[in-house]
Amino acid sequence: MNYENILSKTTNGITSITINRPKKLNALNKATIEELHEAFKAADKDKNTKVIIITGSGDKAFVAGADISEFADFNVNEGGKLAAQGQAILFDFVENLKTPVIAAVNGFALGGGLELAMACHFRIASSNAKMGLPEVSLGVIPGYGGTQRLPQLVGKGRAMEMVMTAGMIDANQALSYGLVNHVVEPDQLVPLAEKIASKIMRNSSVAIGKAIKAINANYTDGKDGYKVEIKQFGKCFGTEDFVEGTTAFLEKRKAEFPGK
């Protein structure tokens, strides 16, 4: 599929999605959100894709925020609809994919950009990355899951401070907060993402998908994460991957999993 605002390519089991609006610092507008939805959906369905890596084009920004010009004149109903639709088609959608998604945060990840990174299964950052939720400086609050995911990742107090001050933190502070898993120099960011992806790809894609579902359940209102884990654990026993994994272990050889 041809996209106007993003790039997507699949190589050796990894689908790399790049937000490609460098003149706008890769800001998220409606069209980009819709294209990202389609790209993530296609990658998740692709049996050859074992891991998805998302990053921004250039070296200045992952995503510098939402495209404010698109909603500056919205009313109450339009604002609520904007948040609901965005969460449904992109942010919640990414979080619940069965294919692992790594955010490679290069440069600014602000507002909707940080919310997108937080929706991914985990994050790594370049040393020049800066992250924040500056929405209150515009008279609005994060609307793409930021008020929920940030406290889950860094704790309530730190999230409150970040949101209320509308300030940015640097990559090392994000690392100390647990917001990102690793920090490397910019030229090592994608190679590190690919290295981690290669480790993930050695394992069962089917089992990983079920693990994602079980882990997410702990952060979902009304869900008993332990019950979800039990159910997903049991389902593993009916898969080809379970047969291959246990057989390979007993035969003292490397497992060759059939795929998604």
Side-chain angles (χ1 to χ4, degrees):
M1 182 173 175
N2 293 323
Y3 300 108
E4 290 186 11
N5 301 296
I6 67 172
L7 305 170
S8 181
K9 66 175 183 178
T10 304
T11 307
N12 298 325
I14 301 171
T15 292
S16 299
I17 298 173
T18 304
I19 301 160
N20 190 34
R21 301 184 74 211
K23 291 181 180 179
K24 294 284 188 179
L25 292 180
N26 303 322
L28 293 178
N29 60 0
K30 184 179 178 181
T32 304
I33 286 174
E34 289 173 350
E35 288 188 2
L36 284 169
H37 171 80
E38 292 302 324
F40 276 112
K41 183 169 71 171
D44 195 47
K45 288 183 176 179
D46 180 14
K47 290 185 177 180
N48 294 318
T49 296
K50 302 293 183 66
V51 180
I52 302 167
I53 297 171
I54 181 166
T55 194
S57 63
D59 56 6
K60 292 182 179 179
F62 175 72
V63 172
D67 198 330
I68 297 165
S69 63
E70 283 196 336
F71 59 80
D73 60 350
F74 275 18
N75 61 30
V76 171
N77 289 333
E78 289 171 322
K81 187 176 180 181
L82 176 74
Q85 289 181 339
Q87 288 189 29
I89 70 170
L90 183 57
F91 300 85
D92 291 351
F93 185 77
V94 168
E95 182 176 66
N96 292 298
L97 290 181
K98 64 179 182 292
T99 307
V101 183
I102 304 171
V105 180
N106 56 313
F108 292 109
L110 304 176
L114 180 54
E115 288 173 304
L116 177 57
M118 290 191 296
C120 298
H121 297 126
F122 61 90
R123 293 142 295 284
I124 63 175
S126 59
S127 57
N128 66 331
K130 295 192 182 297
M131 301 168 214
L133 296 176
E135 285 88 346
V136 297
S137 69
L138 303 174
V140 70
I141 70 169
Y144 289 144
T147 64
Q148 305 305 298
R149 292 190 179 98
L150 186 61
Q152 291 169 2
L153 290 164
V154 307
K156 182 180 177 181
R158 284 172 173 161
M160 286 283 194
E161 181 179 351
M162 286 180 66
V163 171
M164 289 179 188
T165 62
M168 292 185 291
I169 61 173
D170 63 23
N172 287 325
Q173 198 166 358
L175 181 65
S176 71
Y177 280 10
L179 186 54
V180 301
N181 290 17
H182 307 278
V183 174
V184 292
E185 291 305 307
D187 63 346
Q188 292 301 308
L189 183 64
V190 171
L192 175 61
E194 292 174 345
K195 181 179 178 181
I196 296 171
S198 70
K199 292 181 180 180
I200 292 171
M201 289 190 290
R202 297 172 193 165
N203 304 309
S204 164
S205 294
V206 174
I208 287 170
K210 295 184 187 308
I212 289 169
K213 190 168 186 176
I215 292 168
N216 282 344
N218 186 52
Y219 299 94
T220 306
D221 241 7
K223 287 274 190 183
D224 184 329
Y226 291 101
K227 287 184 178 178
V228 174
E229 180 185 275
I230 289 166
K231 184 176 181 180
Q232 296 305 314
F233 177 78
K235 283 185 174 182
C236 289
F237 285 74
T239 67
E240 291 180 26
D241 281 23
F242 173 74
V243 174
E244 169 59 14
T246 53
T247 301
F249 177 82
L250 294 171
E251 293 178 353
K252 297 181 180 180
R253 62 175 175 82
K254 183 180 177 182
E256 296 189 11
F257 295 108
K260 287 184 179 177

